[in-house]
Amino acid sequence: MSTPTGEDDFLYEFEAEVREELVLAETSHPEEPFDLPVTEWLFDPADAERDEVGLRGILGAVEALEGDSRPDRRLTDGRT
């Protein structure tokens, strides 16, 4: 992630938010509810896994957009 300039501010901030959400999703332990009866689960572990997959997809899309709009990034991370 590089410093935002002009119209890239939104993508930069969005990417930061998605990364934060992804860290939360990765550090949560969706497998823990299996130790409890289904009636005591606070969330469905399958939903947590889908959320993480969705966040990774969004992050990939943001990175692709940034790669198209930031020639300096393409040079530093190997993309063309």
Side-chain angles (χ1 to χ4, degrees):
M1 231 172 14
S2 59
T3 306
T5 56
E7 62 190 41
D8 291 334
D9 286 349
F10 173 78
L11 281 179
Y12 177 81
E13 291 173 16
F14 187 63
E15 180 180 6
E17 287 181 33
V18 171
R19 286 186 185 279
E20 287 177 25
E21 288 290 327
L22 191 54
V23 167
L24 290 173
E26 290 171 342
T27 57
S28 70
H29 300 282
E31 66 280 355
E32 287 178 1
F34 291 120
D35 296 337
L36 301 171
V38 173
T39 56
E40 294 183 27
W41 288 2
L42 298 176
F43 59 88
D44 185 342
D47 288 340
E49 188 173 333
R50 278 190 292 274
D51 288 347
E52 186 175 343
V53 169
L55 287 168
R56 290 185 185 286
I58 291 169
L59 186 58
V62 169
E63 289 174 344
L65 285 171
E66 286 179 329
D68 291 343
S69 66
R70 293 184 182 171
D72 59 317
R73 181 174 181 165
R74 285 182 284 180
L75 293 175
T76 59
D77 71 2
R79 295 182 196 177
T80 55

